[in-house]
Amino acid sequence: MESGATTIDAGEVERFSRMASEWWSPTGKFKPLHKFNPVRLSYIRQTVVEHFGLEGRSAKPFEGLRFLDIGCGGGLLSEPMARLGATVVGADASETNIEVAKIHAAQSGVEVDYRATTAEALAEAGESFDVVLNMEVVEHVADVDLYMKACAAMVRPGGLMFVATINRTMKAYGLAIIGAEHVLRWLPRGTHQYERLVRPSEIDAALQGTGLGVSRRSGVSYNPLADEWRLSRDMDVNYMVVAERPKG
């Protein structure tokens, strides 16, 4: 990895920092993430339990596993992972986000190692994890290939990386940008830029040479009648992929 190279987009960091105080408000600017969280949590739990052969009925099935939640924001994924027994490092380029996350974790009695740092800094420090959660981040970084390679480098042999993002399609432009930001106002305008959305093929390309291979793919679609997000075969808008590193 090129020394001094960065994946950080200062404008994106500043924008999310300004909204940091609202991370844990289910009716605030991050309401869509709160709605989205149940399907993410269920997918992560089921996949990790199956992959590592864990006891799914246990209250803390992830005990003994080390997780990285990169781009953790206020900790909406970090805290549930810790409650499931994982040792969790939550990393975000925004110091404001990290301070909000630390305060909420302390109030909730949940132990998470929160750090204001970057994927490339963690990789260069030799950090390694059984599971890397790379959720709704890749569309906000300055260099997708560098970022993905830094994240992949931290996945231990036999480990997993989850990637969730938005596809770069006209359907996604209509629903995730025009619909969600301009019409329904679920998200602040400018949260996503169409040209920065990432196609599944680009995730595959960025993982070339890292030793990780994509093993699962799933779309995530909103059901307006049930007012909930569900796994789907339609990857045209929101989607999640899982990449694995062989045991050796």
Side-chain angles (χ1 to χ4, degrees):
M1 189 175 302
E2 183 182 344
S3 180
T6 182
T7 64
I8 298 307
D9 183 305
E12 293 291 274
V13 173
E14 180 184 358
R15 179 142 48 82
F16 282 97
S17 294
R18 288 197 300 268
M19 298 188 288
S21 62
E22 299 199 43
W23 273 108
W24 286 93
S25 170
T27 58
K29 291 180 179 177
F30 292 102
K31 178 180 178 180
L33 269 184
H34 286 268
K35 285 279 188 185
F36 202 54
N37 231 19
V39 71
R40 297 195 303 178
L41 293 172
S42 176
Y43 187 72
I44 293 166
R45 177 172 181 149
Q46 180 179 350
T47 303
V48 170
V49 164
E50 290 177 0
H51 178 78
F52 290 99
L54 306 176
E55 177 49 68
R57 290 171 293 184
S58 168
K60 294 190 174 182
F62 294 172
E63 280 188 324
L65 297 179
R66 190 169 192 243
F67 276 56
L68 171 64
D69 182 10
I70 189 70
C72 65
L76 298 186
L77 281 176
S78 295
E79 285 195 21
M81 296 302 108
R83 286 195 177 95
L84 288 170
T87 299
V88 181
V89 173
D92 199 285
S94 165
E95 292 187 10
T96 309
N97 285 346
I98 290 298
E99 287 309 308
V100 169
K102 285 180 177 179
I103 291 168
H104 193 274
Q107 292 172 341
S108 304
V110 180
E111 185 175 341
V112 178
D113 179 4
Y114 283 118
R115 307 181 194 179
T117 188
T118 64
E120 56 270 24
L122 288 167
E124 287 172 6
E127 294 279 3
S128 67
F129 303 88
D130 299 293
V131 178
V132 172
L133 301 180
N134 182 352
M135 313 294 275
E136 287 78 45
V137 182
V138 68
E139 70 269 28
H140 299 292
V141 302
D143 186 327
V144 172
D145 284 347
L146 177 65
Y147 171 73
M148 290 296 294
K149 285 175 170 51
C151 291
M154 293 185 280
V155 179
R156 292 172 175 169
L160 300 174
M161 176 163 67
F162 292 78
V163 182
T165 188
I166 302 174
N167 206 341
R168 193 169 70 256
T169 63
M170 291 312 296
K171 184 175 178 180
Y173 179 75
L175 294 176
I177 296 179
I178 299 300
E181 297 182 18
H182 294 260
V183 179
L184 298 173
R185 297 185 180 179
W186 283 353
L187 295 165
R189 289 189 182 189
T191 298
H192 296 106
Q193 291 87 49
Y194 177 74
E195 64 276 8
R196 300 184 71 162
L197 302 182
V198 183
R199 293 175 176 148
S201 61
E202 292 166 341
I203 297 292
D204 293 345
L207 290 174
Q208 289 294 316
T210 66
L212 268 65
V214 173
S215 58
R216 296 190 185 204
R217 306 171 192 269
S218 180
V220 187
S221 300
Y222 178 67
N223 184 313
L225 296 178
D227 188 26
E228 66 180 15
W229 290 87
R230 297 175 178 174
L231 295 181
S232 164
R233 281 182 279 189
D234 182 358
M235 295 178 60
D236 287 347
V237 186
N238 294 82
Y239 68 93
M240 295 189 285
V241 300
V242 181
E244 299 182 10
R245 184 181 299 284
K247 290 184 179 179

